[in-house]
Amino acid sequence: TPSDSADTSSVSVQVTGDYGSEPVVVITPGDPVIELQVTDLIVGSGDALAAGAMLTADYVGYGAATGQMFDASWVRGEPATFPLDKVIQGWQGGIVGMQAGGRRLLVIPAELGYGDNPPPGSGSEAGETLIFVVDLVSFE
């Protein structure tokens, strides 16, 4: 089972699991990060995703302060499809260059995520670092 971790020097993230299955994510909360952290856990193959692409991905999102999951395509039972330029800046900067079949860990500072105004009902706190594990299924 692939395993990797990102040491953001404040938040510790451990991810295990195979591409295509919901990952197990263990978060040790810490101070909010100030820079986008991008770690390839599994490298895909083929062309690299470009800015503005329409992509299909499975993902799970956690709040770093609480360690609580707030969104997951796996919970809904199907990958999500959306244009990259219509999501948070942390995704826009963190997914570019990814290849289909890859899994990437994103540790996103609040200003590249939801900032001080998370969506109502999102379960995210104001100013919270966001953590996503993304499996890129396809893009065009």
Side-chain angles (χ1 to χ4, degrees), residues 39-138:
T39 306
D40 281 316
L41 304 175
I42 300 170
V43 177
S45 61
D47 294 335
L49 184 144
M54 177 69 73
L55 66 102
T56 299
D58 266 313
Y59 66 90
V60 61
Y62 287 86
T66 63
Q68 297 298 307
M69 179 194 308
F70 62 82
D71 192 12
S73 64
W74 278 286
V75 171
R76 292 188 296 277
E78 63 182 4
T81 300
F82 48 86
L84 187 57
D85 60 1
K86 300 294 184 197
V87 294
I88 60 173
Q89 291 178 350
W91 270 63
Q92 292 179 37
I95 298 298
V96 168
M98 195 172 176
Q99 298 166 296
R103 172 172 280 183
R104 188 169 277 183
L105 170 65
L106 303 176
V107 180
I108 303 172
E111 62 271 10
L112 298 179
Y114 300 134
D116 290 330
N117 298 301
S122 69
S124 292
E125 296 182 357
E128 188 169 34
T129 297
L130 304 179
I131 297 168
F132 285 92
V133 178
V134 181
D135 283 8
L136 183 58
V137 176
S138 64

